[in-house]
Amino acid sequence: MSQTAIASPSKGGGFTSITIPIPEASSLGSSDVLVKVHASGVNPLDIGQAFMGAYIAEFPYVLGKAWAGEVVAFGDKVEKLSVGDKVLGAGYVVGAAAFQEYLVTPVKYATKFPDSLSYTDAATIPHTFAGSFVNLFSEALGLGLPLPPKTDEEKNQGILVWGGSSSTGISALQALGALGFQSLFTVAGEASLDSLNKLPGVKGAYDRKLSADELAEKIKKDAESSGGIRVVYSTMSDAAGWDAVFKILNGVEGKIGYIHLVPPPESLVAATEGKVKVVRSVVMDMLTDPIGETLVSVHLSSLLESGAVKPAKTAKVISEGSLLEKVQAAVGAIKGGARDSLVVQISA
């Protein structure tokens, strides 16, 4: 039996359709799960891998990093799953990529999701959640926040999420609030401020169009009771906000974590004379960092079950055409500046 998959055929080779075998249940490892994929999220990382070969060792390489589907079979050491369960997962290991009809994933990278979510909505969650979670909680590669916070000092430390209306920003705020962090602040687009202010733990949401001086003044004043801002998680995709970030951190020892290819200017970092530590992690780090062992199957699982983590944005579903045409349409929308969460329907 064979299936269609979307792969990068060579470094920089873009997207192409290939035919590969459907995995046999008899070939599963003891901790593997065979999943029929119903929907897959399309993300900028997919584009980077297709056109630049990022994080790819061998070709052809099946693409897609976020999926939702149903359990078909599983290994003898897999617990808490049954055939037919609705599951979502992160497709960062070979064999578990999202742009195929059937995949095999280690159980640690999969979890059930509530019946209240559709497959297409569920497929928007894994990639953005994983990217933010690694940066926030990895002790070696990220900000090393306590997981969970236990003391009042840990719970009340001032944390600023820059880009709170982005998918990764919303995921970060949802997770932080649900885990017990109570002094969260965020900078985002004006249209999102009301909804962000209603999230658990958020004490203030601020319009990113304010000047650096205005933002620094407002946020520093509002964060006084939390001992000021000492941790910044940035999802900014341009350098416009860094001046404000360093004005907010002025004179204090702090940490900045960021996930995009937009590091803070070296001059601003140097001016802190070592007081501010800057760390960057990428979502693929979950494969080597200890946080990856429990990120999906434990932490995302519990936050989904409690209802704390939800789709950051409504899914824009692409369901017409061949699988290659659907993926290419989603990629075109992302390149065109789409702000939606792009999802392709794999099977009905």
Side-chain angles (χ1 to χ4, degrees), residues 41-285:
V42 184
N43 302 285
L45 178 56
D46 301 316
I47 301 173
Q49 291 199 294
F51 293 104
M52 293 184 288
Y55 311 109
I56 299 178
E58 295 183 6
F59 296 91
Y61 179 88
V62 180
L63 298 158
K65 295 293 173 279
W67 52 263
E70 63 179 295
V71 174
V72 175
F74 48 85
D76 57 13
K77 290 186 178 179
V78 174
E79 301 176 348
K80 300 180 181 179
L81 289 181
S82 301
V83 172
D85 280 349
K86 296 168 62 177
V87 289
L88 58 77
Y92 303 119
V93 297
V94 174
F99 299 161
Q100 55 186 330
E101 298 168 70
Y102 291 86
L103 62 81
V104 174
T105 180
V107 69
K108 65 184 177 182
Y109 297 137
T111 184
K112 290 190 286 187
F113 63 88
D115 290 336
S116 58
L117 291 179
S118 66
Y119 285 115
T120 50
D121 282 336
T124 68
I125 294 174
H127 181 67
T128 54
F129 179 87
S132 60
F133 208 84
V134 170
N135 197 276
L136 291 169
F137 298 108
S138 168
E139 294 183 4
L141 302 172
L143 292 166
L145 291 171
L147 182 60
K150 296 181 174 65
T151 67
D152 287 344
E153 182 180 3
E154 290 175 341
K155 294 175 182 178
N156 292 315
Q157 63 181 305
I159 301 174
L160 173 65
V161 175
W162 191 285
S165 57
S166 67
S167 294
T168 48
I170 293 172
S171 293
L173 289 168
Q174 288 179 344
L176 289 167
L179 289 167
F181 293 92
Q182 299 171 3
S183 294
L184 307 177
F185 302 84
T186 187
V187 175
E190 182 179 10
S192 302
L193 300 185
D194 285 345
S195 60
L196 293 174
N197 267 316
K198 295 175 183 177
L199 292 176
V202 174
K203 286 189 172 181
Y206 309 87
D207 187 353
R208 66 183 177 209
K209 291 183 179 179
L210 294 174
S211 70
D213 287 334
E214 289 175 307
L215 282 169
E217 181 181 357
K218 288 177 178 290
I219 294 173
K220 289 173 75 173
K221 179 180 179 181
D222 293 348
E224 281 181 359
S225 62
S226 306
I229 300 294
R230 294 184 179 273
V231 175
V232 178
Y233 170 66
S234 171
T235 73
M236 69 178 77
S237 55
D238 59 56
W242 285 123
D243 189 33
V245 168
F246 280 86
K247 287 179 182 291
I248 293 166
L249 290 173
N250 184 38
V252 303
E253 293 185 359
K255 289 184 179 180
I256 296 173
Y258 70 102
I259 58 172
H260 290 303
L261 298 174
V262 189
E266 292 183 7
S267 59
L268 293 178
V269 178
T272 70
E273 299 181 340
K275 289 183 177 180
V276 174
K277 178 183 178 183
V278 179
V279 295
R280 177 178 182 257
S281 64
V282 295
V283 69
M284 299 293 282
D285 288 330

